[in-house]
Amino acid sequence: IIYLVDEFWDTNSGCLKLVDTDDRNCPRRTVSEITPKRNLLAVFEVSSVSFHFVDEVMRTNRVRKSLTGWFYFKKQNMEPKS
């Protein structure tokens, strides 16, 4: 995610939160909080056992802009060839 918000964005609104999991891979608690800042790049893993969410954006009179993309690849066997 590349944040394109105004320089004076409310830092208590729209934070990205990364969540850890318990032994059964169920979401447990927030372990990291990323505050939107202009030109900030946030990179994190997305998988069937990774969880994240965005806090509610409290201001409705301003535009919150960001650019999001995904890099997808198949996992390959990383064993060394003999």
Side-chain angles (χ1 to χ4, degrees):
I1 302 171
I2 300 175
Y3 291 101
L4 305 171
V5 296
D6 293 339
E7 290 185 35
F8 302 105
W9 182 259
D10 179 5
T11 58
N12 295 319
S13 179
C15 293
L16 171 66
K17 296 195 176 185
L18 305 178
V19 179
D20 72 350
T21 57
D22 62 17
D23 295 339
R24 297 172 305 172
N25 292 326
C26 294
R28 186 170 55 172
R29 62 185 167 90
T30 299
V31 293
S32 185
E33 183 173 308
I34 299 170
T35 303
K37 293 182 182 170
R38 187 170 187 78
N39 294 326
L40 175 73
L41 173 64
V43 178
F44 57 96
E45 179 182 8
V46 176
S47 72
S48 60
V49 295
S50 68
F51 298 92
H52 66 281
F53 66 95
V54 176
D55 276 344
E56 181 180 358
V57 176
M58 304 305 283
R59 289 187 167 189
T60 58
N61 63 340
R62 296 178 72 185
V63 177
R64 180 179 180 265
K65 298 177 186 176
S66 63
L67 178 64
T68 306
W70 292 267
F71 178 71
Y72 174 79
F73 66 96
K74 278 187 164 184
K75 286 189 176 184
Q76 297 178 347
N77 185 356
M78 301 303 281
E79 296 293 322
K81 293 181 180 180
S82 30

